Amino acid sequence: MTKIKICGLRRPEDIEYVNEVKADFAGFILSPKFWRYIAPEQVKILRKNVPSSTKIVGVVVDEDINYVASLINDGTIDIAQLHGSENEDYIRKLRLLTSDRAVITKVFIIKSDEDIKKAKASSADYVLLDSGTGTGNTFDWTIIRDIGRDYFLAGGLNPSNVGEAVLKYHPFAVDVSSGVETEKVKDSEKIKLFAQAVRSNTKA
């Protein structure tokens, strides 16, 4: 069954929407330079209303490694999603700073077969394939065919196209933010339609 990650959550209402569809991952932007940023203290408050079955993901972009380690060590997040230029050495050090508690997703911007090779070779627990940072656009999904490992699919997904992506490419998980928003606010109905499209086109 393809899993669902709803990202860019900011409000108590967003948590209600995520809980209603039983999303597998709830994502929060924890790099201050992005408009969907939410402070770690607020994430701690919001996650109290998230069931333990939903993992809390903190999205960071080229942040100081000690900041990311603290988010893991103090229980703010369950998974660190590295969306910048973080390399293998960064991943190794993050595991050391968290006594191997870190669960890490490394994001790769996919433009060619070479990018798929890099994702395949990553030591991160998960890889996420995207078209950019919040572009709202898809990439050429046919490139995925040779990745040979579980992956999150992101970039331009919405209730209209996610069913096709799941049916044809069988990602481990799909990741959506702007694709379930109306005027930059999470839309309950779009989230429901997104979840329905994923689950009706995936194999148990």
Side-chain angles (χ1 to χ4, degrees):
M1 178 72 75
T2 295
K3 298 182 183 298
I4 296 171
K5 175 172 174 273
I6 311 295
C7 200
L9 306 174
R10 304 171 69 224
R11 310 173 302 153
E13 298 96 318
D14 299 342
I15 301 303
E16 292 176 11
Y17 304 158
V18 165
N19 290 347
E20 190 170 3
V21 299
K22 296 181 171 59
D24 303 282
F25 302 93
F28 299 88
I29 310 302
L30 288 165
S31 281
K33 53 190 168 186
F34 296 94
W35 75 264
R36 287 190 183 91
Y37 167 75
I38 181 170
E41 294 76 18
Q42 189 63 21
V43 174
K44 290 178 183 177
I45 293 171
L46 292 177
R47 78 166 294 163
K48 292 178 181 178
N49 294 315
V50 178
S52 60
S53 57
T54 301
K55 299 304 179 186
I56 303 300
V57 181
V59 180
V60 292
V61 182
D62 295 322
E63 293 293 340
D64 182 274
I65 197 167
N66 293 296
Y67 168 63
V68 181
S70 71
L71 295 171
I72 295 165
N73 288 332
D74 71 7
T76 302
I77 63 174
D78 302 312
I79 299 172
Q81 180 175 312
L82 309 179
H83 213 307
S85 59
E86 303 90 354
N87 57 20
E88 286 292 305
D89 188 51
Y90 187 105
I91 292 173
R92 181 185 63 80
K93 289 178 179 177
L94 184 57
R95 288 197 169 115
L96 287 173
L97 288 170
T98 60
S99 302
D100 282 332
R101 285 194 299 273
V103 178
I104 300 167
T105 298
K106 181 67 183 83
V107 177
F108 291 86
I109 307 305
I110 304 301
K111 296 180 179 178
S112 68
D113 289 336
E114 189 61 34
D115 298 320
I116 290 292
K117 290 178 183 177
K118 291 177 182 177
K120 186 174 182 177
S122 174
S123 66
D125 299 284
Y126 302 106
V127 295
L128 185 149
L129 312 182
D130 202 350
S131 58
T133 302
T135 65
N137 299 317
T138 60
F139 62 90
D140 180 6
W141 293 337
T142 62
I143 300 175
I144 298 171
R145 63 189 179 279
D146 295 325
I147 190 167
R149 66 179 291 178
D150 288 343
Y151 63 93
F152 285 69
L153 180 62
L157 294 177
N158 58 59
S160 298
N161 64 13
V162 71
E164 176 189 358
V166 168
L167 188 62
K168 288 186 177 180
Y169 300 102
H170 316 294
F172 168 74
V174 287
D175 185 337
V176 66
S177 184
S178 61
V180 291
E181 292 180 346
T182 298
E183 297 181 354
K184 296 188 174 183
V185 176
K186 290 293 182 286
D187 185 312
S188 174
E189 189 61 27
K190 288 182 179 179
I191 289 174
K192 289 177 188 175
L193 290 171
F194 186 89
Q196 289 170 5
V198 172
R199 289 167 179 154
S200 63
N201 285 283
T202 189
K203 295 180 180 179

